[in-house]
Amino acid sequence: MKAVKRRKLDHHAEQDESAKPSQVLDNHKKTFRVTRIPASHNRKTLQQSLIKTFCIGETSDLIIHSLATDQCGDASPQLRVATVTFKVLPKQLSCAESEHSVSESSPNEWSIHLEDELPLPAKNVVLYFDTHFTGFTPLSSVEQDEKHIIDCVVIHGWGGHAFGSFKERGGQFMWLRDDIPSLFPQLRIWLYGYESKLTDETSIESVDDWCHTFCNLLVDLRAKTKTDQRKRPLIFIVHSLGGWIFKEAMVELSRRSDPKAKDTVKCTYGALFFGVPSQGMNVEALATMVGQKPQRATIALLDGRIHHRLRAKQHQEFCDAFNFKHSRIIKFFETSLSETVKLNTERNQWIQNGDRVLLVSPDSATSGRSWDRYEDHISLKGNHSTIVKFRPNDRTDYQQVRSKLRELVEEAEDAIRLRFASQSVHQSFSEEEYKCLQTLYHSDYNEHKSRNPVRTAGTSDPGCGKSVLARFLIDRLGGSDAEHRSNLCFFFFKDDNDQQNSAILALRAILYQLFETQKELIKYAIPHFKRKGAKFVEEIHTLWEILIGSTSDQIARETICIIDALDECNEQSRILFMKIVANFSKKHAGNDVNRPKLKVLITSRGYQDIELSLIRSDHPLTIRLRAEDEDDSR
């Protein structure tokens, strides 16, 4: 049978095209990665040395786009990595047959002896140029090294390219290199590249192999970080199959015995998912092209029509491994159709001009953990390839991506610090107690509090006064200067958030915080957990009984519960909760010696049903705060 040729189909076709000697290129056509640059070089000296090495006439003919510290190697001082483009391609880099090619097996990699006038140790330096970008590539500026407190790892999709998959189509703007490092100097950005050709008959590598290699290199990279920085937060940006590699990596690392591997999972705060096919994708055209080649196994795994049970099993394993409720996965999905591939019989080539289809459906791209937020499901105008390619002046899609990345950056450091702090607390629980505690947990209560503005001089925005007051009280009572003689628990109701609109969820949050503070009180929840399992957290009367029992114990410290915006609780559970609180107050009115060591502060708008339920003429329970808007200030 006659062999069928294949035109380059991946996202970075322009990056891998072989150029002719001395061919004039658009700057965006070929980006080189330069490695093993001595630490003595900065942008200016490197540019001067490269101009001399390649006999380049004009300074503008060579652009150094990035220069970053390379922490992958073992050299001391650490070497540097750059990304560069040439207006005129030097003959030394012009073709795979060049005498400077590293080897026949590495046609896109060249070794170049640097003509350098710098003093030792920069003499006799050999630099390596490549266009494949495999392994880790740092992009954040070396001048910002001291500001880097968060690692951001970027993984491309199947058949993609570590650099080109994220580069503006038809332009030279690469947002992860040209914008994000200056916008977020606290990020240390790493591209991760892996060989994943769609029709490579010489390789049997699969998702498992790519994932295993990635895990090894990531743990090694993190281990080379300074000892006092090894618990720095991690954020991932993943496209398409890169999301599968991320999820499989979390599972594999969590199962390894190496503490460094487990800490890598614990340090991971969240991820931006772009078109990740969690429930499969449309692979009909690709399956035809791949045929019986080794890649057919990966195609079958991605096929949205089959292997539902296998994907469900993988998803559950990921949820078990990455089970941190205080974590976020923001999912972007495509809304434009993508051209599929078809065989051009006249030219005997596969070309990308077939029928247009939606490769990854919104349902597949937004499928996730049960506690992931609905507001973190975001549509983008591009197709499966272009949803990660942006123009610098994009004020819609790219603006949304930057905004969500900013949220992760702002939240990550505190989240990971608290995660490791709570880990030491949780280690003191028995296995059964810990499972019971995790059953109570459902969302991040500190984050709900932090969404409210801090107290400022003057008046608050409409609707913010009560919540600002609640946050101020919590911060004040729980601050570092407090004597910590009381247990402080809190909950913020929010009617448009399913994790904040139920009294049952409020009581779960309060009990979780109480048991974290006084772990010995969890004994009041264990009998219910033994009898009913996880279902005990669905019963409001059971949860209240546990709270009263816990705060009535002789060893219990005084417990203060601050509950904000009761009016935003759903009506059914709010009515039950108000009855419970009112009965509690009536029963323990006055100086009842048997009164639990429990104080409850509730803020709410002055709705009539709430006032009627909580106010008694002989024992008032409310304080009215008079402000500009009388009806909205209680």
Side-chain angles (χ1 to χ4, degrees):
M1 179 179 294
K2 187 176 180 180
V4 176
K5 296 180 180 180
R6 181 176 64 93
R7 195 184 81 178
K8 192 73 178 178
L9 298 170
D10 62 60
H11 315 307
H12 199 63
E14 68 273 16
Q15 178 72 17
D16 294 330
E17 289 175 349
S18 296
K20 296 178 181 179
S22 300
Q23 179 181 355
V24 177
L25 301 175
D26 292 333
N27 282 336
H28 71 276
K29 280 294 185 181
K30 190 182 284 274
T31 300
F32 289 88
R33 175 177 64 175
V34 188
T35 59
R36 301 198 63 80
I37 301 169
S40 53
H41 272 294
N42 55 35
R43 285 175 182 255
K44 182 177 180 180
T45 59
L46 178 61
Q47 185 182 46
Q48 290 172 345
S49 296
L50 290 178
I51 287 174
K52 182 177 180 180
T53 299
F54 293 117
C55 300
I56 296 174
E58 299 292 334
T59 303
S60 60
D61 290 347
L62 166 65
I63 299 176
I64 298 176
H65 296 273
S66 64
L67 181 65
T69 300
D70 186 8
Q71 294 186 319
C72 295
D74 297 314
S76 181
Q78 290 172 324
L79 300 174
R80 295 178 175 180
V81 177
T83 59
V84 305
T85 55
F86 300 90
K87 184 176 180 180
V88 177
L89 187 66
K91 63 180 181 181
Q92 297 97 317
L93 306 175
S94 61
C95 59
E97 290 73 31
S98 167
E99 61 179 297
H100 298 281
S101 294
V102 172
S103 67
E104 291 184 3
S105 61
S106 302
N108 297 316
E109 186 171 348
W110 301 263
S111 59
I112 304 293
H113 186 278
L114 189 65
E115 296 292 336
D116 206 338
E117 296 181 356
L118 287 180
L120 293 174
K123 287 286 186 180
N124 302 316
V125 171
V126 175
L127 301 184
Y128 287 82
F129 290 70
D130 72 71
T131 57
H132 54 67
F133 281 73
T134 56
F136 282 104
T137 303
L139 293 181
S140 298
S141 174
V142 67
E143 288 86 5
Q144 303 285 352
D145 276 352
E146 295 303 317
K147 297 182 180 179
H148 301 333
I149 57 175
I150 301 172
D151 281 334
C152 180
V153 176
V154 184
I155 312 175
H156 64 84
W158 190 25
H161 187 277
F163 185 87
S165 290
F166 302 91
K167 184 171 66 66
E168 176 188 12
R169 177 161 289 178
Q172 52 185 313
F173 178 68
M174 201 286 203
W175 57 288
L176 293 162
R177 180 193 65 186
D178 302 327
D179 186 42
I180 298 301
S182 59
L183 191 63
F184 303 110
Q186 61 269 62
L187 286 182
R188 183 173 62 174
I189 299 173
W190 296 91
L191 303 181
Y192 180 73
Y194 58 101
E195 291 287 348
S196 57
K197 296 179 181 178
L198 291 169
T199 56
D200 185 357
E201 297 184 6
T202 65
S203 175
I204 60 170
E205 280 191 311
S206 65
V207 176
D208 289 341
D209 301 305
W210 299 325
C211 171
H212 186 73
T213 300
F214 171 70
C215 288
N216 291 340
L217 294 178
L218 180 62
V219 170
D220 182 64
L221 175 66
R222 299 274 294 182
K224 290 173 180 174
T225 302
K226 294 178 182 178
T227 304
D228 61 343
Q229 297 179 2
R230 288 179 184 172
K231 291 183 180 178
R232 68 165 66 192
L234 259 170
I235 293 173
F236 286 82
I237 297 176
V238 296
H239 177 222
S240 192
L241 192 68
W244 279 38
I245 293 176
F246 162 73
K247 293 197 285 187
E248 288 292 302
M250 292 296 102
V251 174
E252 179 173 333
L253 292 171
S254 69
R255 293 175 177 175
R256 291 190 180 185
S257 58
D258 181 4
K260 294 191 294 293
K262 293 184 180 297
D263 278 352
T264 300
V265 178
K266 291 172 188 170
C267 287
T268 301
Y269 174 61
L272 301 184
F273 276 23
F274 291 88
V276 175
S278 296
Q279 293 183 3
M281 60 185 293
N282 186 322
V283 297
E284 291 184 47
L286 291 178
T288 302
M289 183 178 72
V290 169
Q292 295 303 307
K293 296 181 179 66
Q295 291 73 27
R296 69 183 184 277
T298 303
I299 286 286
L301 190 62
L302 288 170
D303 194 335
R305 300 168 299 180
I306 58 177
H307 291 311
H308 302 288
R309 291 184 182 276
L310 178 58
R311 285 193 295 271
K313 178 175 179 292
Q314 290 174 325
H315 174 68
Q316 186 58 55
E317 289 175 345
F318 169 67
C319 292
D320 293 340
F322 194 57
N323 61 355
F324 307 108
K325 301 301 189 296
H326 191 188
S327 62
R328 290 180 69 183
I329 298 179
I330 298 168
K331 309 176 189 75
F332 299 95
F333 60 92
E334 64 217 53
T335 56
S336 297
L337 305 183
S338 301
E339 287 185 337
T340 57
V341 295
K342 72 175 183 179
L343 181 63
N344 183 320
T345 55
E346 293 183 0
R347 300 171 58 185
N348 206 35
Q349 287 184 335
W350 289 99
I351 55 177
Q352 200 163 350
N353 66 349
D355 295 337
R356 293 179 179 270
V357 300
L358 194 66
L359 289 181
V360 180
S361 70
D363 285 344
S364 182
T366 59
S367 176
R369 304 171 303 173
S370 59
W371 60 91
D372 287 340
R373 306 178 193 172
Y374 174 76
E375 61 265 31
D376 285 342
H377 299 173
I378 301 169
S379 64
L380 298 179
K381 295 184 180 65
N383 61 31
H384 189 62
S385 172
T386 60
I387 57 171
V388 288
K389 301 176 185 290
F390 303 108
R391 302 184 312 278
N393 61 338
D394 186 337
R395 299 176 64 87
T396 53
D397 286 356
Y398 185 40
Q399 186 64 33
Q400 291 189 88
V401 171
R402 294 200 311 181
S403 176
K404 286 299 181 181
L405 180 57
R406 178 179 288 105
E407 291 178 16
L408 295 191
V409 170
E410 291 175 348
E411 298 164 0
E413 194 175 11
D414 285 343
I416 300 307
R417 177 178 51 79
L418 291 172
R419 187 178 295 173
F420 277 94
S422 63
Q423 176 192 356
S424 60
V425 174
H426 293 167
Q427 287 174 346
S428 61
F429 288 96
S430 69
E431 183 177 354
E432 183 178 52
E433 289 171 340
Y434 182 71
K435 287 181 179 178
C436 179
L437 185 70
Q438 289 301 104
T439 302
L440 287 166
Y441 191 94
H442 64 83
S443 64
D444 182 9
Y445 322 117
N446 275 298
E447 185 184 349
H448 297 164
K449 179 199 71 172
S450 299
R451 292 178 188 173
N452 298 290
V454 296
R455 184 184 66 130
T456 57
T459 59
S460 298
D461 293 332
C464 291
K466 300 178 299 302
S467 297
V468 171
L469 174 62
R471 174 174 178 173
F472 169 73
L473 289 173
I474 294 165
D475 290 341
R476 186 67 176 266
L477 293 172
S480 57
D481 295 332
E483 296 181 8
H484 301 293
R485 289 177 296 185
S486 299
N487 299 320
L488 177 63
C489 308
F490 57 86
F491 188 81
F492 286 76
F493 282 108
K494 197 72 175 173
D495 56 9
D496 60 355
N497 188 331
D498 290 340
Q499 296 178 341
Q500 294 178 256
N501 63 3
S502 163
I504 289 177
L505 297 179
L507 288 173
R508 286 173 59 180
I510 288 167
L511 288 173
Y512 181 88
Q513 295 168 77
L514 175 62
F515 297 151
E516 271 204 319
T517 306
Q518 268 197 280
K519 77 176 192 65
E520 57 271 19
L521 298 180
I522 200 172
K523 64 184 179 182
Y524 289 93
I526 293 299
H528 300 279
F529 179 64
K530 285 182 176 180
R531 287 198 308 271
K532 303 174 183 177
K535 290 187 176 181
F536 87 92
V537 301
E538 301 172 4
E539 302 170 355
I540 190 169
H541 291 287
T542 298
L543 296 172
W544 183 260
E545 177 186 337
I546 295 170
L547 178 61
I548 296 302
S550 300
T551 54
S552 299
D553 194 286
Q554 288 185 347
I555 66 170
R557 298 192 292 268
E558 179 184 60
T559 297
I560 300 173
C561 295
I562 297 177
I563 298 174
D564 179 64
L566 179 62
D567 53 286
E568 297 197 44
C569 175
N570 67 59
E571 184 177 10
Q572 183 178 4
S573 67
R574 184 178 74 222
I575 292 172
L576 279 174
F577 182 68
M578 289 189 300
K579 287 181 180 179
I580 290 172
V581 173
N583 289 336
F584 166 75
S585 180
K586 292 175 185 178
K587 181 178 179 181
H588 299 289
N591 296 317
D592 184 356
V593 295
N594 297 316
R595 180 188 179 95
K597 288 167 273 188
L598 174 65
K599 295 180 178 179
V600 182
L601 173 66
I602 299 173
T603 72
S604 173
R605 289 183 173 91
Y607 292 165
Q608 187 177 25
D609 65 319
I610 296 176
E611 287 193 305
L612 290 175
S613 296
L614 297 181
I615 295 179
R616 291 174 59 231
S617 59
D618 59 332
H619 188 65
L621 295 173
T622 65
I623 300 173
R624 176 175 297 187
L625 302 179
R626 299 184 182 276
E628 291 110 325
D629 186 348
E630 169 68 17
D631 293 334
D632 194 37
S633 61
R634 300 172 186 174

